[in-house]
Amino acid sequence: KPAEIPGLPPGVDDQLAGEGIEELYPPQAEAVEAGLTDGESLVASVPTASGKTLIAELAMLSAVQRGGKALYIVPLRALASEKKTEFERWEDHGISVGVSTGNYESSGEWLASRDIIVATSEKVDSLVRNNAGWIDQLSCVVADEVHLVDDRNRGPTLEVTLAKLRQINPGLQVVALSATVGNADEVADWLDAELVHSEWRPIDLRMGVHFGNAINFDDGSQREVPVEGSQRQTEALVGDTLDEGGSTLVFVNSRRNAESAAKRQGGVVERRLDSDEKADLQDLAEEIRGVSDTETSDDLADCIENGAAFHHAGLASEHRSLVEDAFRDRLLKVICATPTLAAGVNTPSRRVIVRDWRRYDGEFGGMKPLDVLEIHQMCGRAGRPGLDPYGEAVLLSKDADTMDELFERYIWADPEAVRSKLAAEPALRTHLLATISSGFANSREGLLEFLEATLYATQTGDDGRLESVTDSVLAYLEANDFIEREDGTIRATNIGHTVSRLYLDPMSAAEIVDGLQYAEQNRGEEAATSEGQRERPAADEEAEPEGFVSASELQTDAEDGSESETEPVDDSQPPARPTPLGLYHLVSRTPDMYDLYLKSGDRETYTELCYEHEAEFLGRVPSEYEDVAFEEWLSALKTAKLLDDWASEVDEDRITERYGVGPGDIRGKVETAEWLLGAAEQLAGTLELSSRVAVREAKKRIEYGVREELIDLAGVRNVGRKRARRLFEAGIESRADLREADKGVVLGALRGRQKTAETILENVGREDPSLEDVEAVETETAAVA
Ligand code: ADP
């Protein structure tokens, strides 16, 4: 019984029993046996849905009980708040929980007071770089989905972060949760941890391939599922599950496919719904529409009316949780999902269909088969313990050969081994600079010694490769003035420190610095021909040491309503002042921004746009003969244009349509741009460049999604881009105006929403924000808006 687990805070056992957890699952019991609740490090390599989260919770709770502090590292930002919500039920037992997301450069000191902290590995890495005070108080760290160290983009950060945390806190308990992988023992070796490796599952899983008119299962059995008329295999299988009273999770390889599949499945489900279910689904659809006013929201609601939904990283998190809850409550019968988030979200289902086992891979240059590990993770979602006799996971094939291949490739196959990707250059570039900058190492030898503590070193006997990439990365960092070497000692330069603290890829920083300096040179030439016309930047700008103004300080400035923030320093020389589009393009060119793909026809559109705006770019436009470089320039331009639309108050819906993206994508791009522009602003400060004010303004516009004249208003809490525009059109153009304006006009501009209007007036610091008995006055312009 959980009651017998040693070392937990009082009341935890009752809480668990209340949740139906009366006994530990075998892998959990094994973990406790291995010392999980006594601070022992552990690698748990067990199948999906076998209770890894509880293993983590037991470790964290017992660490807190011993007076320590625990950190839970999630692989995706979108999962951080979900985990936090899950852990918050421990707050009744006196345990505080905090989540750290966003804003890479803050050190998050407030987290020092939390017992359990949830963060992404990128965030933790940056907290280490910024020397967050509480990092050395950690006694337990959990790495969720540790097999992702194999991921070429995000893996190295997780790997280096774990190595650093262990170096900072020698007694640190590391609990690494992993899907079943081929070499969990190597991972355990690396982390000096006990290993729990198990194939145990709480519910039996049968895997099979649907071909012709039947599913062929791995145990040799068959189930007839005929495909009739113009039906597709997935539709036949969803219908079949539903007739048995079950629900289906369909995995596809892209967001668009998820949406179109959900639309089609609605047809299958709708026919089988009773009137109560239809009414409940109507309500849910309304709730979904209420979350946001976008096309995705509408599409999702339309699908949901028919009992089907789509699920992918482009959905707003409120949408996602509504969908997941309704699926768990069996109101929704089908979810068509991309695997990105589904791996981390607990949505068991009677049947899982893996429709697509290949995915487009840009680097690979075509459709690439998924890893066994990924397919097994999706299949693992099949079967709801206590509800289903067993779970079924089905792959699809159109011919006998493919069926055989699928059995070989996935069903009979063991998952791959996890391999470190640390020796890749972009990863080392970032992490070596950070290691030097934060003082972890100050010589080539010191760096190599630190690298010895990584999985890479554990896995490779050959130091030669690590040494040679290290040398070439050091040469790159030195050539870009991010580090200096003297008598074998390596130090980060001012700019190098800034880059590391800002959490930039040094290559992004180099691109930004080059771009800003390019602008400066242009300005220099302009200034020479028109001497004396240009004013120097405002005096307070000059006085700041090193230009180290943190984003949060700026925020406070703006909220004070200090208007000098938004005033352009100098409009007399338009060509010399970087334009927002020029700056958006600059940050979109960096490797830290994922650009939009060029679709057919885009090449022409953006080539034209490129020449129209040639003078605005902060750098030389590659010639059309430099094929790859030109193409990259154009896709950065497409991204920049999206950002420019956003900052010009174009409707979200219009943007999603124009660029073929979801609202979640807009938010993602906007956040990345905000961060990169914040970084650019600080780099401009460190280098004492005059473009700093222009950068700040471009950043503010992105932050609020408004034109210049609304920056002041939109910064008031609860105002936002749309309301700011309506206020402006009603003649209220600034915070000062808002504090003085006729209350009826304010109420009219805010469409008679009394509560909202009062909150806003309060936030702007109006003396008497009450709107009791105030009549809304519709000004003419407001009515038009
Ligand atoms: P994983 O992280 O391994 O994919 P989860 O931690 O999400 O799996 O667990 C899957 C489900 O199993 C959760 O709903 C959890 O509440 C439940 N669960 C975990 N441990 C037990 C247990 N010992 N007894 C009953 N249910 C459990």
Side-chain angles (χ1 to χ4, degrees):
K1 275 183 71 179
E4 287 152 21
I5 306 169
L8 294 177
V12 165
D13 43 356
D14 288 339
Q15 167 86 34
L16 290 175
E19 292 165 15
I21 298 176
E22 278 156 10
E23 212 170 6
L24 291 181
Y25 285 159
Q28 294 165 342
E30 220 182 295
V32 171
E33 199 90 335
L36 180 72
T37 51
D38 303 323
E40 206 53 64
S41 286
L42 181 90
V43 171
S45 168
V46 295
T48 312
S50 302
K52 286 192 285 290
T53 311
L54 185 58
I55 294 185
E57 290 181 301
L58 294 178
M60 295 193 297
L61 291 170
S62 59
V64 173
Q65 180 66 11
R66 287 192 303 274
K69 179 193 273 308
L71 171 67
Y72 190 101
I73 304 178
V74 287
L76 287 170
R77 201 194 279 203
L79 293 172
S81 51
E82 278 170 42
K83 281 294 166 196
K84 176 182 172 249
T85 312
E86 204 174 337
F87 299 153
E88 262 166 1
R89 66 193 204 285
W90 301 116
E91 293 197 332
D92 295 342
H93 302 271
I95 287 160
S96 56
V97 183
V99 61
S100 171
T101 49
N103 195 3
Y104 284 124
E105 51 185 305
S106 88
S107 61
E109 289 306 329
W110 65 276
L111 290 167
S113 65
R114 302 299 146 122
D115 299 315
I116 295 180
I117 297 163
V118 182
T120 61
S121 45
E122 283 75 14
K123 182 68 202 181
V124 179
D125 184 22
S126 95
L127 288 168
V128 171
R129 291 183 196 194
N130 291 304
N131 299 314
W134 51 270
I135 287 283
D136 59 8
Q137 295 161 27
L138 289 174
S139 52
C140 171
V141 56
V142 178
D144 195 0
E145 312 229 19
V146 79
H147 53 266
L148 290 173
V149 290
D150 193 280
D151 184 290
R152 65 181 171 229
N153 297 315
R154 292 172 303 151
T157 303
L158 178 58
E159 185 176 340
V160 167
T161 302
L162 286 176
K164 282 190 181 161
L165 289 175
R166 294 182 66 214
Q167 197 159 330
I168 298 172
N169 307 325
L172 185 70
Q173 175 184 27
V174 180
V175 176
L177 309 177
S178 171
T180 39
V181 296
N183 60 339
D185 53 335
E186 269 179 21
V187 180
D189 242 12
W190 164 45
L191 297 171
D192 299 313
E194 298 287 321
L195 174 63
V196 171
H197 179 84
S198 169
E199 301 287 340
W200 183 88
R201 314 176 42 91
I203 180 163
D204 276 346
L205 175 65
R206 302 165 73 188
M207 288 172 81
V209 178
H210 185 269
F211 161 57
N213 286 323
I215 310 173
N216 302 277
F217 283 108
D218 49 356
D219 59 6
S221 67
Q222 272 203 335
R223 179 183 170 85
E224 291 281 318
V225 183
V227 181
E228 278 147 18
S230 61
Q231 246 189 350
R232 303 185 186 210
Q233 282 170 293
T234 316
E235 290 167 31
L237 286 160
V238 165
D240 179 66
T241 326
L242 214 47
D243 291 338
E244 299 274 302
S247 53
T248 313
L249 197 48
V250 183
F251 285 108
V252 299
N253 60 9
S254 74
R255 295 176 191 187
R256 187 164 322 160
N257 282 337
E259 296 187 14
S260 57
K263 226 170 267 174
R264 257 198 322 274
Q265 297 307 328
V268 181
V269 179
E270 200 265 344
R271 273 181 276 135
R272 294 165 164 94
L273 297 171
D274 62 33
S275 55
D276 284 352
E277 286 176 319
K278 282 186 186 168
D280 289 348
L281 287 166
Q282 277 294 343
D283 292 347
L284 178 61
E286 278 320 303
E287 219 177 320
I288 293 277
R289 286 200 178 90
V291 170
S292 68
D293 190 16
T294 60
E295 205 175 310
T296 306
S297 191
D298 270 342
D299 288 348
L300 182 61
D302 289 348
C303 288
I304 281 176
E305 285 179 0
N306 293 331
F310 51 86
H311 184 291
H312 55 57
L315 285 187
S317 63
E318 297 100 298
H319 279 149
R320 273 192 355 248
S321 50
L322 285 169
V323 166
E324 288 156 17
D325 290 347
F327 189 71
R328 271 193 293 270
D329 293 344
R330 308 166 81 173
L331 178 59
L332 280 175
K333 315 296 181 192
V334 185
I335 294 183
C336 301
T338 58
T340 333
L341 292 177
V345 176
N346 183 19
T347 47
S349 158
R350 169 66 176 280
R351 195 175 265 170
V352 165
I353 299 175
V354 181
R355 197 196 74 177
D356 302 330
W357 52 277
R358 280 179 286 222
R359 168 192 311 133
Y360 183 79
D361 183 311
E363 230 159 287
F364 182 75
M367 299 298 283
K368 191 177 176 190
L370 301 184
D371 287 346
V372 180
L373 189 81
E374 289 177 274
I375 297 277
H376 283 190
Q377 274 197 297
M378 295 181 226
C379 294
R381 287 284 161 220
R384 297 159 304 169
L387 289 173
D388 298 324
Y390 49 79
E392 290 176 350
V394 185
L395 291 107
L396 309 181
S397 106
K398 291 229 183 310
D399 55 72
D401 285 348
T402 311
M403 178 164 79
D404 292 344
E405 184 189 346
L406 291 176
F407 266 98
E408 285 298 318
R409 187 187 274 279
Y410 294 120
I411 297 182
W412 305 133
D414 289 326
E416 294 82 3
V418 165
R419 310 286 316 168
S420 165
K421 298 289 186 286
L422 185 61
E425 248 178 70
L428 267 192
R429 204 160 58 206
T430 307
H431 291 296
L432 287 189
L433 177 59
T435 307
I436 296 164
S437 165
S438 59
F440 251 81
N442 65 0
S443 65
R444 180 177 177 275
E445 293 63 42
L447 283 171
L448 290 170
E449 199 180 305
F450 165 67
L451 290 171
E452 275 300 302
T454 61
L455 176 64
Y456 182 84
T458 310
Q459 289 191 321
T460 171
D462 165 29
D463 292 346
R465 163 125 180 90
L466 197 52
E467 270 187 58
S468 72
V469 243
T470 301
D471 285 334
S472 79
V473 167
L474 288 176
Y476 173 88
L477 294 175
E478 195 174 15
N480 281 285
D481 294 330
F482 296 143
I483 59 168
E484 286 165 343
R485 287 201 258 197
E486 211 186 312
D487 305 332
T489 305
I490 308 180
R491 250 191 313 271
T493 59
N494 255 343
I495 194 98
H497 279 299
T498 308
V499 172
S500 174
R501 196 170 44 83
L502 293 171
Y503 209 74
L504 284 176
D505 178 341
M507 199 176 256
S508 293
E511 183 85 43
I512 291 173
V513 168
D514 286 351
L516 295 178
Q517 267 163 351
Y518 181 91
E520 196 78 0
Q521 276 157 19
N522 276 5
R523 176 194 143 100
E525 281 158 25
E526 289 287 330
T529 58
S530 52
E531 242 175 313
Q533 279 186 21
R534 179 176 306 277
E535 282 168 34
R536 292 170 68 78
D540 65 334
E541 300 270 337
E542 295 270 287
E544 276 157 19
E546 306 289 2
F548 279 6
V549 179
S550 78
S552 53
E553 278 174 67
L554 290 178
Q555 184 94 10
T556 334
D557 282 351
E559 269 158 18
D560 288 338
S562 110
E563 269 151 39
S564 68
E565 292 289 321
T566 61
E567 225 150 76
V569 168
D570 153 16
D571 270 332
S572 56
Q573 302 288 334
R577 190 173 196 268
T579 63
L581 184 70
L583 289 164
Y584 300 153
H585 187 264
L586 177 62
V587 297
S588 299
R589 294 207 299 264
T590 65
D592 277 311
M593 177 75 88
Y594 279 97
D595 282 323
L596 298 168
Y597 291 110
L598 293 183
K599 304 211 171 86
S600 70
D602 278 356
R603 210 187 147 91
E604 291 70 30
T605 312
Y606 290 100
T607 302
E608 210 169 283
L609 201 68
C610 176
Y611 293 125
E612 274 169 28
H613 292 273
E614 194 166 359
E616 294 180 49
F617 294 120
L618 306 177
R620 184 187 66 84
V621 179
S623 105
E624 274 185 72
Y625 299 105
E626 298 167 69
D627 220 17
V628 177
F630 190 66
E631 190 92 8
E632 280 173 5
W633 192 269
L634 293 186
S635 46
L637 179 55
K638 185 175 177 184
T639 310
K641 193 72 182 87
L642 180 152
L643 293 168
D644 198 53
D645 278 2
W646 168 254
S648 307
E649 296 170 50
V650 177
D651 254 3
E652 232 177 303
D653 254 357
R654 187 86 188 79
I655 299 179
T656 52
E657 202 178 297
R658 196 177 278 174
Y659 301 93
V661 296
D665 298 307
I666 303 180
R667 236 158 290 155
K669 297 267 176 293
V670 164
E671 276 174 27
T672 308
E674 217 183 298
W675 160 55
L676 288 171
L677 287 165
E681 187 192 339
Q682 299 211 25
L683 290 170
T686 307
L687 295 167
E688 299 181 14
L689 300 178
S690 61
S691 48
R692 186 166 164 214
V693 180
V695 177
R696 178 186 302 183
E697 218 172 280
K699 182 186 126 205
K700 283 275 165 220
R701 286 188 49 195
I702 279 292
E703 185 178 344
Y704 304 132
V706 297
R707 291 171 202 258
E708 207 172 313
E709 69 266 22
L710 292 190
I711 294 179
D712 185 39
L713 270 183
V716 179
R717 208 143 28 96
N718 294 82
V719 171
R721 66 202 298 244
K722 290 198 172 155
R723 289 179 182 148
R725 180 50 68 189
R726 286 203 292 268
L727 288 167
F728 194 87
E729 288 185 350
I732 302 166
E733 303 188 353
S734 65
R735 290 165 196 239
D737 286 355
L738 192 52
R739 279 190 285 265
E740 301 300 323
D742 181 282
K743 284 182 173 179
V745 174
V746 175
L747 192 57
L750 298 172
R751 305 216 162 138
R753 302 234 163 95
Q754 189 188 326
K755 193 87 206 48
T756 311
E758 284 176 346
T759 314
I760 287 173
L761 289 178
E762 203 174 307
N763 292 343
V764 80
R766 184 142 178 168
E767 296 267 297
D768 170 25
S770 163
L771 293 176
E772 200 103 1
D773 300 325
V774 172
E775 285 276 320
V777 177
E778 293 283 331
T779 57
E780 239 169 72
T781 36
V784 172

